[in-house]
Amino acid sequence: MLLMGVERFPTTADPHGEPAPGHTDWPRLPFVPGLMSRLDLAYKRVGYEVLSVAEPDRRAVMLHSDAAVHSSTTRIVHALSHGTPAADLSRSPAAAGQEHVHMVPACATLGTGTDVSQWVRIAHQQAQPTLFVIDLCRAGRSARLSELTRVPDGELNAWVIAATSPDRPAYDGRFSEAVAEVLEQIADHGLDTSPSIRFVRWDRVTRAIQNSLEGLGSSQRIHTTRVDVSQELPELPFFPNPRWRPGTRLEKLHDVVPPVRAFVADLGAEHFMDRVDDHFVGRQSQLHWLAAWLDDDRVGGLRVVTGAPGSGKSALLGALVCSGHEAVIDAAPDIRAYLSAQSPEGVCSPNPLLAAIHSRGRDIDAVMTSIALQWRLPSEPERRWSVADLISEAGTLPAVPALVFDALDEAEDPDDLMKSLLIPLAGAVRPDGRSLVRLLVGTRRWPAGPLLTLAGRDGGLLDLDDVPVEEIRSDLRSHMLRRLSSLPQYIPPEQRPIRTALAETVAEALTEETDRMHEWGPFLVARIFGHVLATQPVPDNVDAAVARGRTVPRSLPDVLELDLDRRPDGKDLRAVLAAVAFAKGDGFPTEAVAAVAPEFAPTPNVAAGCSLARATDQDLLQHVRGLLDAGSFYLRTGVETDGSTLYRLFHQGLADYLQAHPYPLDSATRSEAI
């Protein structure tokens, strides 16, 4: 990148007299050297080689700017000086044109090569995109060139972030100070951009610069290249995301439409290649039954999976979607390969007419639009589907389509969605007399009574709490063995009897109280307890392993509080998780978590070492980032439209508990909660 800045300008006028006609005395800009040093370091921190040119005269400005805009490798030009719209200072700014702004060089001579707007015009003609960061008075003139406003965003190769509007001054280098601050934040945490995105997005950066300016006490409003907000922005290669994880797999997962992507996240798909502990296990007989039914396009009808929170409804449906939905198979083929190796009969065939909806926070319009898109029904842009239209169009498909619909109870209006859409779909028939769709729904019992009754009439109701205890116990044992076998301290051969005894004891303990088991799903409790075991030393012998296994909590509140109590940052982490529990849809961004979490933190106490309630501004954000990383086991992530990471809890049962009990619990309160 090219960085040019001017501090001193020649003085020709008598300090006690008026400037000569056609000449301007430009005052010194004493802040420029310090800002040049800071910007030089900031750009290097985000990965740029910096050509820093201090005090360039007109010839130097012309040569360096021309070389930069014609270069195939220079991505950014940052100019810091006085700015003026007129090359001929004897003329008025209006006569000089509304789209010209010159960088005043150290010699104060304007002309060929100092017109920033001309740099932008030339750069647009080049093959690679260039960004101009312009800290001059009236710099906004370079950001709104009329001939470039008609160019589609995806074809534009000259982009501008200007310090101020076309007719306003810029003050004291505050804009460049804000840019340096944002560059430093990008180097530290990528402005919380998702690891699936290679470059920090344009709107994320420009908004951060404006916020930084306001934080510095400036009233300046930046002017930038205008973008079409109705279209997705192109990927602009100006600000590398330090959190980016190279590889197409994660990027493909985030390209999957959100109602489908949620299945991938709920199954822990992002960890399938790296972590065995999150793998789906068990439920073999249920998988075989449902996979065979989903593959039979001669039949339709309704199947409903229900059970206690944490019984494995979403995991079961997620395994089916990840093995049969073509978009998921394309993004993450390793998931299907793993499921097939575990149980070939429990794997669906790839099906172009399999649609998947995770209805968390979604309304009926969003759900129908997604179903129509996945079934590839004929549609026009912005079409609003009715249930009757959806049923009519689905009847024309060449085969009976399938729809996997999870988390009905977490929809925006579960009752309306059930009565207005799902029950009509379940009862609809095709012109040839067959059922319109094979509809598989996952839900808790309480909001879906009529749907459960309808499914039960035809033998289509699967209650995971009614599965024989021996089968659940066997599946839990397999789950714990997989978890322990992935932990380094349990891998050595001599630890085999230890991990076997521990897994068997945990599975037995979690299934011996049937009523408690149906209140809180044992798989969720076992999963969190496995996370706790990962931080503890291995038991010395089999008897100690059995004793450790008997300590497994029997409920979600118990096991969560056990994990948090053992952590030095547990109280702060609990506050962060409680904040995330209130997130809707795909989740909260980091800023929202930081705004809410201090409410749930304990009263500041130096002795307790609780810093969340005392931290402010950037320190608070940084502390929350660390806590989100520390609590990643409990979190699922999404991507906001500006590329930032969104956080939500990995299970609705966990969100329900923390919403009901967001504040720290003492022993007595905890007993009541549990």
Side-chain angles (χ1 to χ4, degrees):
M1 65 85 54
L2 170 63
L3 174 62
M4 295 188 291
V6 182
E7 175 192 7
R8 298 176 182 275
F9 307 85
T11 300
T12 58
D14 182 340
H16 302 293
E18 296 293 330
H23 294 277
T24 297
D25 274 342
W26 303 104
R28 179 184 168 217
L29 301 177
F31 50 81
V32 168
L35 278 176
M36 290 277 286
S37 297
R38 184 178 178 185
L39 287 165
D40 183 287
L41 181 59
Y43 278 113
K44 286 176 179 174
R45 285 191 63 199
V46 297
Y48 280 94
E49 294 182 13
V50 180
L51 174 58
S52 185
V53 182
E55 307 302 310
D57 59 13
R58 187 183 70 83
R59 177 177 172 77
V61 169
M62 179 178 64
L63 291 176
H64 285 297
S65 63
D66 187 66
V69 298
H70 286 93
S71 169
S72 63
T73 58
T74 299
R75 293 277 68 81
I76 298 178
V77 175
H78 189 134
L80 176 59
S81 181
H82 285 295
T84 179
D88 180 355
L89 296 180
S90 64
R91 307 177 74 196
S92 70
Q98 293 300 308
E99 294 189 345
H100 295 275
V101 60
H102 290 258
M103 174 185 175
V104 179
C107 61
T109 301
L110 308 180
T112 304
T114 63
D115 186 352
V116 176
S117 299
Q118 189 62 18
W119 302 352
V120 175
R121 291 186 177 93
I122 296 172
H124 171 61
Q125 304 302 323
Q126 308 310 307
Q128 301 296 326
T130 302
L131 170 65
F132 296 89
V133 183
I134 309 301
D135 196 354
L136 313 173
C137 292
R138 302 176 180 85
R141 290 168 176 252
S142 62
R144 304 288 170 85
L145 303 183
S146 56
E147 68 264 36
L148 298 187
T149 59
R150 298 185 292 271
V151 178
D153 297 343
E155 299 176 28
L156 189 63
N157 274 346
W159 295 77
V160 180
I161 306 176
T164 187
S165 65
D167 295 302
R168 300 282 295 181
Y171 296 99
D172 300 328
R174 288 286 187 252
F175 169 72
S176 286
E177 188 176 352
V179 170
E181 183 175 277
V182 170
L183 288 169
E184 290 157 0
Q185 293 171 2
I186 291 173
D188 289 338
H189 48 73
L191 296 182
D192 301 306
T193 297
S194 168
S196 67
I197 297 175
R198 185 173 183 179
F199 297 98
V200 183
R201 288 185 176 165
W202 173 261
D203 46 350
R204 188 78 175 157
V205 173
T206 54
R207 190 181 307 117
I209 293 172
Q210 183 61 56
N211 291 341
S212 180
L213 257 177
E214 293 168 4
L216 293 169
S218 174
S219 61
Q220 287 176 222
R221 302 293 302 177
I222 67 172
H223 262 46
T224 69
T225 301
R226 279 184 173 156
V227 296
D228 185 350
V229 295
S230 69
Q231 303 296 319
E232 185 172 351
L233 275 170
E235 183 182 69
L236 300 175
F238 302 134
F239 304 101
N241 177 16
R243 304 175 69 212
W244 178 58
R245 298 207 298 268
T248 59
R249 182 179 184 276
L250 188 58
E251 295 170 19
K252 282 187 174 182
L253 283 176
H254 283 290
D255 284 340
V256 177
V257 292
V260 183
R261 189 170 64 234
F263 284 103
V264 184
D266 285 342
L267 196 57
E270 293 180 12
H271 305 279
F272 260 62
M273 296 186 73
D274 306 317
R275 291 166 47 191
V276 179
D277 56 294
D278 276 354
H279 283 184
F280 176 83
V281 297
R283 300 297 190 189
Q284 298 303 310
S285 61
Q286 293 83 18
L287 273 176
H288 298 172
W289 180 56
L290 291 171
W293 174 74
L294 282 171
D295 275 354
D296 190 353
D297 68 358
R298 298 168 301 173
V299 301
L302 173 67
R303 299 286 186 271
V304 175
V305 179
T306 190
S311 58
K313 300 182 293 297
S314 289
L316 179 63
L317 269 60
L320 295 165
V321 170
C322 289
S323 66
H325 197 290
E326 290 189 337
V328 179
I329 295 171
D330 178 62
D334 51 290
I335 301 178
R336 189 175 196 279
Y338 166 80
L339 293 168
S340 181
Q342 179 181 266
S343 176
E345 291 181 306
V347 171
C348 299
S349 301
N351 184 355
L353 291 181
L354 172 60
I357 298 290
H358 200 289
S359 59
R360 180 189 304 106
R362 294 184 168 88
D363 61 20
I364 189 169
D365 289 334
V367 166
M368 287 195 294
T369 299
S370 182
I371 293 172
L373 176 68
Q374 294 181 64
W375 281 346
R376 301 178 179 86
L377 299 181
S379 182
E380 299 173 0
E382 308 301 323
R383 176 177 181 177
R384 184 171 180 176
W385 286 87
S386 68
V387 175
D389 287 345
L390 186 70
I391 289 174
S392 176
E393 293 288 358
T396 66
L397 291 171
V400 175
L403 171 60
V404 178
F405 195 100
D406 193 23
L408 170 62
D409 49 288
E410 299 174 33
E412 187 174 283
D413 188 342
D415 190 63
D416 178 60
L417 200 51
M418 174 183 64
K419 293 177 180 177
S420 300
L421 177 64
L422 297 183
I423 289 178
L425 277 177
V429 295
R430 292 166 53 90
D432 60 10
R434 289 183 292 170
S435 294
L436 179 78
V437 62
R438 293 188 301 287
L439 175 60
L440 174 59
V441 180
T443 180
R444 298 188 195 180
R445 298 182 190 86
W446 58 265
L451 201 66
L452 270 62
T453 301
L454 185 62
R457 290 175 187 168
D458 298 323
L461 178 62
L462 172 58
D463 189 337
L464 296 181
D465 295 339
D466 289 341
V467 174
V469 171
E470 294 76 14
E471 184 175 340
I472 295 176
R473 185 174 296 160
S474 175
D475 288 345
L476 281 169
R477 179 182 181 276
S478 297
H479 172 83
M480 290 304 300
L481 278 175
R482 286 182 180 276
R483 176 66 175 122
L484 294 172
S485 297
S486 71
L487 300 177
Q489 64 267 41
Y490 284 93
I491 288 177
E494 62 271 18
Q495 300 300 335
R496 186 180 187 88
I498 301 293
R499 62 178 183 257
T500 300
L502 184 52
E504 290 176 347
T505 306
V506 169
E508 183 176 349
L510 288 175
T511 53
E512 62 187 6
E513 298 180 37
T514 306
D515 292 342
R516 200 69 177 274
M517 182 178 71
H518 291 168
E519 181 183 0
W520 296 104
F523 286 93
L524 179 58
V525 175
R527 182 176 181 184
I528 299 177
F529 189 62
H531 181 60
V532 173
L533 291 175
T535 66
Q536 297 179 339
V538 178
D540 293 332
N541 50 55
V542 170
D543 290 340
V546 171
R548 178 78 57 81
R550 296 299 303 174
T551 68
V552 62
R554 306 305 199 269
S555 73
L556 172 62
D558 260 335
V559 73
L560 173 66
E561 301 294 355
L562 171 68
D563 184 25
L564 296 176
D565 283 348
R566 69 182 178 80
R567 296 170 177 258
D569 61 354
K571 289 183 171 59
D572 278 6
L573 177 55
R574 193 185 195 284
V576 164
L577 295 178
V580 177
F582 289 91
K584 301 297 183 183
D586 287 337
F588 272 167
T590 304
E591 298 94 328
V593 179
V596 176
E599 165 64 23
F600 304 133
T603 302
N605 185 325
V606 176
C610 176
S611 59
L612 185 61
R614 299 196 308 270
T616 58
D617 301 330
Q618 289 302 317
D619 289 339
L620 173 61
L621 273 172
Q622 194 59 30
H623 186 47
V624 167
R625 290 185 186 102
L627 292 167
L628 288 169
D629 287 341
S632 60
F633 171 81
Y634 292 103
L635 301 171
R636 288 288 178 259
T637 58
V639 183
E640 183 58 286
T641 54
D642 67 355
S644 58
T645 302
L646 298 174
Y647 296 92
R648 61 179 177 83
L649 297 181
F650 78 85
H651 198 278
Q652 188 60 36
L654 187 65
D656 292 342
Y657 169 66
L658 285 172
Q659 285 180 25
H661 304 283
Y663 295 96
L665 303 180
D666 57 30
S667 299
T669 307
R670 183 173 304 166
S671 297
E672 294 175 9
I674 292 169

